[in-house]
Amino acid sequence: MTISRRFMLKAGAAMGAAAAAHPALAQTRAGAAQTERWGVHELVMDGPRTGNPFVDVTLSATFRREDQAITVPGFYDGDGTYRIRFSPPDVGEWTWRSDSNHRALHGQAGSFTCVAATGDNHGPVRVTPDGYHFAHADGTPFRQIGTTCYSWALQSDAKCAQTLETLAAAPFNKMRMLVFPNVESVATNPFVRTGDGPRDYDPTRFDPDYFRRYEDRIVRLGRQGIQADIILFHPYDTKRGYNDMARVDDERYVRYVAARWGAYRNVWWSMANEYDNVETKTIADWDHLFEVLVAADPHDRLRSIHQINTYYDHRKPWITHASVQNGAAVVDDIRAELHRAIILKPVIFDEVVYEGDIAERWGQLSGEEMVERFWWGLIGGTYVGHSEVFSSTRNADTSWLGQGGTLKGTSPPRLAFLRQIMEDGPTPGINAIQPLWNYRIGGVPNEYYLKYFGSEPLTEWPVTIHGRGTENLHSYRADIIDTWNMTVTPVEGTFDMAVKDAYNYHDPARPTIALPGRPWMAVRLVRV
């Protein structure tokens, strides 16, 4: 991000520290300011600090390039400092002009140059044109392998650093994380305190330190190529009541985080975790908050909501993809695919219960069972999320799920292996092939086929793929994939398809592939 030269009045030590944390942040030097495409261009202004600036002051800026005009809200960052953050979607010369109800902030103007993205900057993740997968803005496929650490961002700096170090060696490219704490945390007060009681706070006054700390975690995830799936509300902390505020306070909070964090290209929005357990809000309330979020976020980041029992209607226009809690839906590919067929959007089973050894039934998956769910979800054309809870971490609250730290389970290396299989696969992603006829194969017809056998220890597979007529009789090379031992064994020769019957192809010269009689195997066919 770059700071417009005219408004470097508040740069100082704080901006220097931020620049050290985020290499894309640079103070303007001689000549025109430059910001990478999909980076963050930040305006910093001095303004009023008396009264309640969070309520009393409005601020935005309109950024223009050719026929584009994007109005971006600003926010108060405490100590008389106001910020506007904009992520330019296109290269070229951008001009901007501020609008405010306060004279000192109104009518300021400037310009900057947006230059081409470099390095690993592929832009924000979007839904692909087919409507069922994800890709970055530059077209690079995004193969989602997510995890959940609810309050990791609210832990000590040392614990957060440990979590980031763990993530650097893990396969996960999306992190689900709460804004408000649900377990023991170092950061617990997003609002200015007014007394010693748990609900003694002023919901009209945000604590900027709390939100600066959180956004530092967003930035650090971005540097590691990890999407921050930010959960705005949850039902787990009834003591403080952050999730049970009045509607006007909810609206202010949603607008504040959208203005503050929406420009970061790795941000996703999850309106709530287990929304249907937040007893103080109705479906109409959630619909309204989505409308508020859409209006407050000109960067149009991905949006979802997560349930425990009652599915939200993910077909509503403000939902970009479905975030689902359902462990049973991914014990086979057919149930997973049915979700996608009904919702007609990308589906991420963000919670399929967890790998672990605790007494509660939601934390007892073996590593094999966790990995199996990812594979069935993939064959069904959907995506799956991970987390873990082990008794050796004292309790579920202090586990990876609650606080982050280190991973204990056996699934992450196998999920890294799966991610590579996905990366090597077709774009934009794998779809279920003929699910209505129970083929239980994913891929792209006439190009790529992936067959998964789960826990069945088979010794052979009859190689049969769907096809009609003679125009798509191709040859394929085959690999036997051991999804648990993480090996790929090529099968010698090719499979040269011929018509088997009215609906299927096979190779009459070699109708089967021999398998090793172990569970967790898969076969991949790729057109020669």
Side-chain angles (χ1 to χ4, degrees):
M1 66 181 78
T2 56
I3 309 299
S4 184
R5 182 171 186 166
R6 188 172 181 180
F7 297 104
M8 286 175 57
L9 303 176
K10 300 294 293 185
M15 292 303 296
H22 196 306
L25 178 65
Q27 297 178 10
T28 301
R29 291 171 172 79
Q34 289 191 343
T35 300
E36 276 194 16
R37 187 184 189 189
W38 306 306
V40 179
H41 187 82
E42 181 172 275
L43 311 178
V44 184
M45 306 179 187
D46 276 334
R49 63 182 68 196
T50 57
N52 185 352
F54 295 108
V55 174
D56 300 336
V57 179
T58 62
L59 174 64
S60 65
T62 298
F63 293 81
R64 299 180 183 276
R65 173 192 170 274
E66 298 178 356
D67 60 348
Q68 292 175 285
I70 304 173
T71 299
V72 179
F75 65 93
Y76 183 56
D77 200 24
D79 196 30
T81 299
Y82 294 77
R83 301 182 189 274
I84 302 172
R85 291 173 175 164
F86 172 57
S87 183
D90 293 293
V91 298
E93 299 299 316
W94 288 84
T95 62
W96 58 267
R97 183 178 178 85
S98 67
D99 182 77
S100 176
N101 62 351
H102 193 278
R103 183 181 304 174
L105 301 172
H106 183 72
Q108 308 294 348
S111 64
F112 71 94
T113 301
C114 177
V115 297
T118 61
D120 293 329
N121 176 2
H122 299 292
V125 174
R126 303 294 192 200
V127 174
T128 52
D130 74 325
Y132 294 110
H133 299 287
F134 301 99
H136 292 273
D138 70 351
T140 302
F142 178 74
R143 322 283 190 163
Q144 196 274 167
I145 298 282
T147 190
T148 297
C149 296
Y150 284 131
S151 289
W152 85 273
L154 309 177
Q155 303 307 306
S156 68
D157 289 344
K159 186 67 173 282
C160 287
Q162 183 184 49
T163 301
L164 290 166
E165 183 179 3
T166 299
L167 288 170
F172 306 116
N173 54 14
K174 180 170 76 73
M175 170 70 91
R176 299 180 67 242
M177 48 200 277
L178 302 174
V179 178
F180 298 142
N182 73 322
V183 299
E184 181 180 345
S185 301
V186 170
T188 59
N189 299 315
F191 302 99
V192 172
R193 303 294 301 173
T194 58
D196 297 329
R199 298 202 178 208
D200 289 339
Y201 58 87
D202 183 351
T204 72
R205 294 179 181 270
F206 302 100
D207 182 348
D209 286 340
Y210 185 96
F211 292 90
R212 284 190 211 110
R213 192 177 192 281
Y214 194 97
E215 74 194 30
D216 171 76
R217 281 37 173 174
I218 296 172
V219 168
R220 291 176 188 273
L221 287 176
R223 293 175 64 184
Q224 293 185 201
I226 299 172
Q227 306 298 303
D229 198 352
I230 299 171
I231 304 169
L232 300 180
F233 297 95
H234 66 78
Y236 313 122
D237 180 18
T238 57
K239 179 173 67 174
R240 298 180 181 91
Y242 299 145
N243 302 280
D244 305 312
M245 299 184 293
R247 172 175 279 202
V248 65
D249 298 323
D250 287 341
E251 293 171 342
R252 185 184 308 105
Y253 158 61
V254 169
R255 292 187 181 107
Y256 186 75
V257 296
R260 181 157 202 133
W261 300 331
Y264 294 111
R265 63 179 174 267
N266 64 319
V267 162
W268 299 25
W269 303 115
S270 175
M271 184 59 73
N273 207 72
E274 296 186 346
Y275 85 91
D276 44 328
N277 270 1
V278 180
E279 296 178 354
T280 55
K281 290 180 172 59
T282 65
I283 291 291
D285 291 324
W286 295 118
D287 290 351
H288 174 71
L289 288 173
F290 269 115
E291 292 174 332
V292 171
L293 176 59
V294 170
D297 178 21
H299 297 100
D300 195 29
R301 301 308 186 207
L302 296 177
R303 297 176 298 271
S304 68
I305 190 168
H306 165 283
Q307 99 299 333
I308 182 170
N309 293 313
T310 304
Y311 278 52
Y312 186 82
D313 184 357
H314 300 291
R315 292 168 297 185
K316 291 182 177 180
W318 39 76
I319 297 293
T320 58
H321 65 283
S323 172
V324 176
Q325 176 177 185
N326 192 326
V330 282
V331 294
D332 66 54
D333 54 313
I334 301 300
R335 279 183 270 188
E337 192 278 335
L338 280 173
H339 280 70
R340 201 183 92 160
I342 293 169
I343 293 168
L344 300 176
K345 291 178 182 178
V347 175
I348 304 178
F349 293 96
D350 277 312
E351 187 173 343
V352 295
V353 302
Y354 307 119
E355 182 179 1
D357 62 359
I358 63 173
E360 291 83 355
R361 62 181 180 176
W362 48 265
Q364 296 181 347
L365 290 184
S366 66
E368 291 89 342
E369 291 169 325
M370 174 60 78
V371 174
E372 180 187 26
R373 282 156 171 75
F374 272 80
W375 272 89
W376 284 130
L378 175 66
I379 301 301
T382 65
Y383 300 88
V384 180
H386 156 279
S387 199
E388 63 169 49
V389 284
F390 283 92
S391 56
S392 59
T393 56
R394 184 158 56 89
N395 57 51
D397 288 353
T398 56
S399 67
W400 177 261
L401 174 67
Q403 295 183 340
T406 58
L407 290 163
K408 312 289 185 185
T410 56
S411 65
R414 281 82 186 180
L415 298 180
F417 177 76
L418 170 60
R419 181 173 167 184
Q420 188 59 56
I421 296 290
M422 296 166 70
E423 298 282 0
D424 294 340
T427 59
I430 286 175
N431 300 310
I433 296 176
Q434 292 284 302
L436 294 180
W437 296 98
N438 208 34
Y439 280 73
R440 310 193 73 177
I441 295 175
V444 176
N446 308 309
E447 296 291 338
Y448 180 103
Y449 298 87
L450 193 61
K451 175 71 174 180
Y452 178 61
F453 304 104
S455 59
E456 292 186 89
L458 301 180
T459 56
E460 68 175 18
W461 174 51
V463 182
T464 300
I465 59 176
H466 173 71
R468 305 192 70 179
T470 59
E471 66 275 13
N472 288 309
L473 296 175
H474 307 299
S475 295
Y476 296 85
R477 61 176 175 80
D479 298 305
I480 297 173
I481 301 171
D482 187 326
T483 70
W484 186 253
N485 292 310
M486 299 175 286
T487 62
V488 178
T489 304
V491 177
E492 186 176 354
T494 62
F495 288 79
D496 305 315
M497 293 300 165
V499 174
K500 180 180 180 181
D501 55 40
Y503 297 98
N504 296 295
Y505 298 152
H506 75 151
D507 183 346
R510 49 189 321 192
T512 64
I513 288 179
L515 298 173
R518 298 192 300 271
W520 322 124
M521 305 303 294
V523 170
R524 177 174 59 192
L525 300 176
V526 180
R527 179 176 167 180
V528 175

